[in-house]
Amino acid sequence: MARSRPNVSRSSIAGNEWHTLDFGDVEKELAAKLSDDDISKVLLHIDAANKLKILRLTNCINLTGAGLVSLFGSTSIQQIDLSLVGAHQSPILDPKPPLDCDLVLPILDSIINQGRCQLKHLQFPHMWRGGDCDQFNEFLERYDEMDEMLGDGRDTFVTFGDVYFGIQDFTCSECTKYYAPDRDDEDGNALYFCNTCERYHCTQCSAMVECQNCEDFLCVDCIPHTFCASPSCTDIVCNECLSNKCHTCSKKWCTNCSHSCIECDGDGCNQTCCRECSAKEGVNGVHWCDACHTKLCVECSEKDKVNGVHWCDVCEEELCDKCRLIGCQRGNNCSVCVKMVAPLLLEEYRQLRDEHTNLEDKNNLLGGQNKSLGDEIKRLSDENEALQRKLS
């Protein structure tokens, strides 16, 4: 049986006269099913190479990019959004979509090499912006060279750094207006970078607020995506300052509330878990020693020769094995605690026994050496007496 293709209504994704094609205007589930063949047919049908100005592939996570060949050599396109996510959404997709720069970049090259190129703004997928793709890095350089030839004086793409790498600089991602560095426009509008959605927005297109931790900015529409999980926290923070994420419930905490989400200190372990999830059974929670503040997850605590952290229901204390052992040695007679540290007590007994045996061996050795020394002293004393008799 032939596979049925998604039925995409033209009026639902495009503006008048095919000025804009935004797949964020269709149902997310439908956009996610679209194939390269589907996209190619839509672009051909609307004569996108000559008419389309704005293309946004929002939620089209099934594409390799081959379907964009219908845009080859376009002289009308002004903005292409390849991030595959909507405005004010995190650009990080998991699993990574199959969008292939080897298929897409030749199409973009054919556009920027046109003498009548109208392209003003490109938004790339987050997965391309890691700096480890030579083809992508070389394309950024070619685009910058093309822009220099146009003579408008703008810096185009950031080709260094981390979060900014591969971002079109000084250009609003919504209206594509260019803002000169450190200058507002004549109407007082300014341009800010939001490190939550990783886009530039001008204040005419999006209201911006300042992060209360690092003083960077974020879009007002991004604030719901950066709420601290602490019910008592009212701080507005950016995504960078919301870095403490529980691996179990996926909630996040800001830097000031990071004590609510604990990271394991185990060698090579990056497990983080909030206190609420850590208290649940069957969860690889992270536990905190009340005495020395050692932090270990359940899996690391169960490893051999590891100072594990465990909870005692009788004492109602969470302690690492070393601190619990000290407590037992100082008179804590809790049978549960004694059972927990029994292997340590046994090991300590074995060490003391071995030390006692070593001391006995050393004592016997010293005793033998002492006897030999006594015999030598007696021999020297006898020789001294004999010598004195001869002299007298």
Side-chain angles (χ1 to χ4, degrees), residues 44-56:
L44 280 173
H45 180 75
I46 65 175
D47 191 18
N50 297 307
K51 295 182 178 180
L52 190 65
K53 294 184 178 181
I54 299 174
L55 174 63
R56 299 189 180 103

Side-chain angles (χ1 to χ4, degrees), residues 229-361:
S230 175
S232 59
C233 182
T234 57
D235 288 351
I236 295 175
V237 295
C238 67
N239 194 56
E240 291 297 310
C241 294
L242 201 68
S243 56
N244 300 284
K245 180 180 178 180
C246 175
H247 286 177
T248 302
C249 66
S250 296
K251 292 180 180 178
K252 293 183 178 181
W253 284 261
C254 70
T255 305
N256 294 332
C257 302
S258 59
H259 59 275
S260 299
C261 192
I262 310 172
E263 183 176 0
C264 178
D265 292 332
D267 187 22
C269 181
N270 62 351
Q271 173 72 1
T272 56
C273 195
C274 66
R275 293 182 181 273
E276 183 179 350
C277 290
S278 294
K280 298 178 181 178
E281 292 185 8
V283 172
N284 184 28
V286 181
H287 300 276
W288 177 308
C289 175
D290 295 332
C292 68
H293 300 161
T294 294
K295 295 168 287 185
L296 282 180
C297 68
V298 173
E299 291 182 1
C300 286
S301 290
E302 298 305 322
K303 293 179 180 178
D304 292 337
K305 298 181 180 180
V306 170
N307 181 33
V309 180
H310 305 280
W311 171 262
C312 176
D313 291 327
V314 177
C315 299
E316 295 186 347
E317 283 186 320
E318 198 164 49
L319 296 171
C320 69
D321 293 335
K322 290 182 179 179
C323 291
R324 196 179 304 278
L325 177 61
I326 292 172
C328 291
Q329 291 171 335
R330 291 178 178 176
N332 178 12
N333 295 319
C334 172
S335 59
V336 175
C337 288
V338 171
K339 185 177 181 180
M340 285 184 186
V341 297
L344 289 178
L345 289 170
L346 181 60
E347 180 63 25
E348 188 177 64
Y349 168 76
R350 288 172 178 169
Q351 290 178 356
L352 290 173
R353 184 189 61 188
D354 292 342
E355 288 177 6
H356 178 73
T357 302
N358 289 335
L359 288 173
E360 283 188 335
D361 292 342

Side-chain angles (χ1 to χ4, degrees), residues 73-362:
S74 172
T75 56
S76 63
I77 195 72
Q78 297 180 6
Q79 183 180 27
I80 303 176
D81 187 345
L82 300 169
S83 67
L84 308 183
V85 297
H88 312 296
Q89 294 181 356
S90 171
I92 303 173
L93 294 173
D94 187 19
K96 293 180 180 180
L99 196 63
D100 190 347
C101 64
D102 289 336
L103 296 175
V104 177
L105 293 183
I107 300 170
L108 296 181
D109 272 320
S110 74
I111 296 173
I112 67 174
N113 289 331
Q114 288 289 333
R116 294 179 295 163
C117 175
Q118 301 294 316
L119 198 57
K120 296 180 180 179
H121 185 264
L122 280 170
Q123 188 77 29
F124 291 108
H126 182 274
M127 60 183 178
W128 290 7
R129 296 193 287 108
D132 53 357
C133 177
D134 292 338
Q135 300 96 312
F136 178 62
N137 301 341
E138 292 168 2
F139 172 80
L140 297 183
E141 294 177 2
R142 292 195 297 273
Y143 192 104
D144 285 352
E145 291 174 0
M146 178 277 296
D147 194 71
E148 287 176 6
M149 288 189 293
L150 293 178
D152 58 3
R154 68 173 71 184
D155 293 326
T156 307
F157 282 99
V158 178
T159 54
F160 59 89
D162 188 6
V163 68
Y164 294 96
F165 182 83
I167 295 292
Q168 189 158 346
D169 217 353
F170 305 119
T171 304
C172 177
S173 62
E174 297 183 63
C175 67
T176 71
K177 182 175 181 178
Y178 172 71
Y179 286 76
D182 302 320
R183 290 179 58 187
D184 298 343
D185 68 2
E186 59 275 10
D187 297 322
N189 295 313
L191 189 72
Y192 295 96
F193 182 77
C194 173
N195 64 14
T196 297
C197 62
E198 297 185 6
R199 298 173 188 258
Y200 274 104
H201 302 273
C202 70
T203 50
Q204 185 176 11
C205 294
S206 181
M208 307 295 291
V209 292
E210 190 174 9
C211 173
Q212 293 176 250
N213 279 350
C214 69
E215 299 181 353
D216 280 346
F217 283 82
L218 68 156
C219 317
V220 167
D221 291 328
C222 282
I223 291 177
H225 304 293
T226 62
F227 279 142
C228 176
S230 175
S232 59
C233 182
T234 57
D235 288 351
I236 295 175
V237 295
C238 67
N239 194 56
E240 291 297 310
C241 294
L242 201 68
S243 56
N244 300 284
K245 180 180 178 180
C246 175
H247 286 177
T248 302
C249 66
S250 296
K251 292 180 180 178
K252 293 183 178 181
W253 284 261
C254 70
T255 305
N256 294 332
C257 302
S258 59
H259 59 275
S260 299
C261 192
I262 310 172
E263 183 176 0
C264 178
D265 292 332
D267 187 22
C269 181
N270 62 351
Q271 173 72 1
T272 56
C273 195
C274 66
R275 293 182 181 273
E276 183 179 350
C277 290
S278 294
K280 298 178 181 178
E281 292 185 8
V283 172
N284 184 28
V286 181
H287 300 276
W288 177 308
C289 175
D290 295 332
C292 68
H293 300 161
T294 294
K295 295 168 287 185
L296 282 180
C297 68
V298 173
E299 291 182 1
C300 286
S301 290
E302 298 305 322
K303 293 179 180 178
D304 292 337
K305 298 181 180 180
V306 170
N307 181 33
V309 180
H310 305 280
W311 171 262
C312 176
D313 291 327
V314 177
C315 299
E316 295 186 347
E317 283 186 320
E318 198 164 49
L319 296 171
C320 69
D321 293 335
K322 290 182 179 179
C323 291
R324 196 179 304 278
L325 177 61
I326 292 172
C328 291
Q329 291 171 335
R330 291 178 178 176
N332 178 12
N333 295 319
C334 172
S335 59
V336 175
C337 288
V338 171
K339 185 177 181 180
M340 285 184 186
V341 297
L344 289 178
L345 289 170
L346 181 60
E347 180 63 25
E348 188 177 64
Y349 168 76
R350 288 172 178 169
Q351 290 178 356
L352 290 173
R353 184 189 61 188
D354 292 342
E355 288 177 6
H356 178 73
T357 302
N358 289 335
L359 288 173
E360 283 188 335
D361 292 342
K362 288 181 180 180

